[in-house]
């Protein structure tokens, strides 16, 4: 990745510029088709992000596809249950939304840099639309339904990584990029709330196959928005060779870099422990005797906390203040789980979950450091690996939480996740801080965008 003050940055951490050099350096210069850094406000807000026409198209496309994914999961799960009467197979449709991430994120990660970004995004949406359409066909075997669910899940990290790298080309690498990523996270959380509500309403009046047909249309709509609303840009990596080999080589190259590896762990570990109480909310709600309304409130609490914190931090805090929140909020995200040791009532449980959701704001700093650490030609692949790793390890965290709850009381499992999570996150924070030596300060100097 080119340095603002000199040639391309050397690979090994020991060879990189020192802290003093990085403290004075601004983010990597924008390409010719990116907004000029000098034209950006010193401390941009969300309004500045939405002022970029291409981002508005990306936002609208992501909103459509996110709602489609959530509604598709609900409709497919209900369809499988209607056809088989098996709770296990019905639950498996949700699990298959996470497990194939590791395959797509590892074996196909080079796609994000090897081909033009707009082409990759449009093709991914079209493939997801075809998969959803295949689920609609009457008489589709259960095995094929689950396979098509795996296809969409394997495509998801490639799409997410390519889109994240495209934001760097559309918005640049400074605070507009960080805020753009924040908007994407807000959409992800909001889609959970709106998607479950919309899915429930649709399934109340139409059959699951009709809902799946609607989700196919959302993917097509997303593809059209991206095709017509974003610019065609060349691929970042023009190397040739086997795609699988390039994906594995690039992944090894990323993981071999100590700074990148530490930042990936900081991205992955807090969500791993945050999902433990979330995965156990249904049995916990049953333990409290909350009923459907109370359970719905519990399930909504964490996304509400995440959306609120993300919006407030992005709107009211300066770039240096957002970055300084990284370590405290990354640790804070896993701490509310400790409160479940007291067997809290519904109201206190909702508060603990809302507080847990606020920890998402630690991503402001991680996004900034990560894009600064990754070589330009691997940015799309790095974002793909980041997303795939996060979703995979979250799935494992949910699975382990369920196994633990089979053998131990919920009031022990949830706080234990908080204790273990605190130790792990602290260890990763220590490692990230150690990689700051020779890699520049984690917190930007005042006035640096």
């Amino acid at each position: 990745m080119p340095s603002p003050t000199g040639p391309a940055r050397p690979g090994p951490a020991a060879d990189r510029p020192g802290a003093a050099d990085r403290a004075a350096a601004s983010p990597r210069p924008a390409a010719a088709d990116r907004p000029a850094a000098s034209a950006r406000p010193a401390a941009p807000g969300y309004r500045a992000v939405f002022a970029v026409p291409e981002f508005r198209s990306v936002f609208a496309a992501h909103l459509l596809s996110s709602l489609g994914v959530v509604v598709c999961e609900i409709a497919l799960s209900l369809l499988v249950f209607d056809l088989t009467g098996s709770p296990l197979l019905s639950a498996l449709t949700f699990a298959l939304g996470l497990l194939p991430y590791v395959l797509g994120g590892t074996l196909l990660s080079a796609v994000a840099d090897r081909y033009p970004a707009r082409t990759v995004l449009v093709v991914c949406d079209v493939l997801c639309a075809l998969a959803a359409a295949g689920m609609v066909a009457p008489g589709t075997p259960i095995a094929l339904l689950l396979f098509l669910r795996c296809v969409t899940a394997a495509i998801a990290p490639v799409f997410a990584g390519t889109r994240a790298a495209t934001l760097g080309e559309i918005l640049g690498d400074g605070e507009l990029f960080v805020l753009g990523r924040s908007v994407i996270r807000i959409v992800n959380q909001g889609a959970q709330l709106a998607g479950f509500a919309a899915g429930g309403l649709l399934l109340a009046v139409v059959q699951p196959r009709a809902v799946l047909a609607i989700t196919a249309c959302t993917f097509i709509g997303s593809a059209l928005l991206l095709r017509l609303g974003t610019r065609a840009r060349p691929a970042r990596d023009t190397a040739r060779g086997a795609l699988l080999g390039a994906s594995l080589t690039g992944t090894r190259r990323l993981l071999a870099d100590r700074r990148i590896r530490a930042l990936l762990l900081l991205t992955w570990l807090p969500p791993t422990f945050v999902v433990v109480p979330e995965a156990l909310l249904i049995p916990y709600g049953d333990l409290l005797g909350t009923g459907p309304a109370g359970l719905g409130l519990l399930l909504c609490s964490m996304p509400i906390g995440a959306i609120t914190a993300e919006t407030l931090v992005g709107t009211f805090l300066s770039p240096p203040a957002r970055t300084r929140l990284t370590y405290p909020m990354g640790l804070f995200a896993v701490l509310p789980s400790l409160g479940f040791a007291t067997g809290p009532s519904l109201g206190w449980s909702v508060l603990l979950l809302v507080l847990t959701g606020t920890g998402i704001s630690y991503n402001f700093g991680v996004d900034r450091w990560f894009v600064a650490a990754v070589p330009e030609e691997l940015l799309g692949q790095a974002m793909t690996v980041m997303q795939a790793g996060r979703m995979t390890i979250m799935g494992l965290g949910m699975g382990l939480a369920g196994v633990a709850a089979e053998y131990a009381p919920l009031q022990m499992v949830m706080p234990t996740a908080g204790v273990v999570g605190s130790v792990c996150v602290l260890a990763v924070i220590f490692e990230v801080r150690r990689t700051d030596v020779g890699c520049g300060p984690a917190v930007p100097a005042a006035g640096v965008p």
Side-chain angles (χ1 to χ4, degrees), residues 314-336:
T315 301
F316 295 108
L317 295 187
S318 66
R322 294 174 198 146
T323 308
R324 281 192 288 268
L325 281 176
T326 304
Y327 296 145
M329 294 308 294
L331 177 61
F332 177 77
V334 301
L335 294 180

Side-chain angles (χ1 to χ4, degrees), residues 3-254:
S3 168
T5 57
R9 180 173 50 194
D15 297 330
R16 295 177 183 168
D21 297 331
R22 290 287 296 275
S26 60
R28 119 180 125 221
D33 55 359
R34 297 179 189 170
S38 59
R40 299 179 200 146
Y46 290 118
R47 182 177 297 180
V49 176
F50 282 101
V52 180
E54 279 190 277
F55 179 79
R56 293 198 295 270
S57 295
V58 172
F59 167 79
H62 181 53
L63 183 61
L64 269 180
S65 60
S66 296
L67 288 172
V69 168
V70 175
V71 173
C72 179
E73 289 178 345
I74 301 171
L76 182 60
S77 179
L78 182 58
L79 176 61
V80 170
F81 184 75
D82 287 343
L83 293 174
T84 65
S86 169
L88 174 61
L89 288 176
S90 179
L92 187 60
T93 61
F94 283 100
L96 290 176
L98 295 176
L99 298 180
Y101 263 76
V102 69
L103 297 177
T106 302
L107 304 182
L108 301 176
S109 57
V111 169
D113 296 309
R114 182 73 67 86
Y115 302 99
R118 187 176 70 176
T119 300
V120 174
L121 294 174
V122 171
V123 169
C124 285
D125 266 335
V126 170
L127 290 176
C128 287
L130 291 174
M135 299 174 189
V136 175
T140 304
I142 299 299
L144 181 56
L145 289 174
L146 297 179
F147 171 77
L148 292 173
R149 181 69 187 101
C150 287
V151 169
T152 60
I155 291 171
V158 177
F159 183 90
T162 305
R163 183 189 57 225
T166 300
L167 289 182
E169 295 175 330
I170 294 173
L171 301 173
D173 295 339
E175 283 304 309
L176 285 185
F177 171 81
V178 173
L179 290 170
R181 289 273 290 165
S182 171
V183 170
I184 296 299
R185 288 193 295 271
I186 291 173
V187 171
N188 290 338
Q189 297 295 325
Q192 291 188 43
L193 300 176
F196 280 118
L201 291 174
L202 286 171
L203 289 168
V205 295
V206 297
Q207 294 298 312
R209 292 189 190 277
V211 176
L212 289 170
I214 294 173
T215 65
C217 293
T218 65
F219 287 121
I220 292 297
S222 174
L224 288 173
L225 283 167
L226 292 169
R227 177 62 181 82
L228 301 176
T230 61
R231 293 176 53 186
R233 294 178 172 86
R236 279 175 293 274
D237 186 3
T238 58
R240 292 294 178 262
L243 179 62
L244 176 59
S247 297
L248 295 176
T249 299
T251 301
R252 283 195 298 266
R253 182 178 168 190
L254 291 169

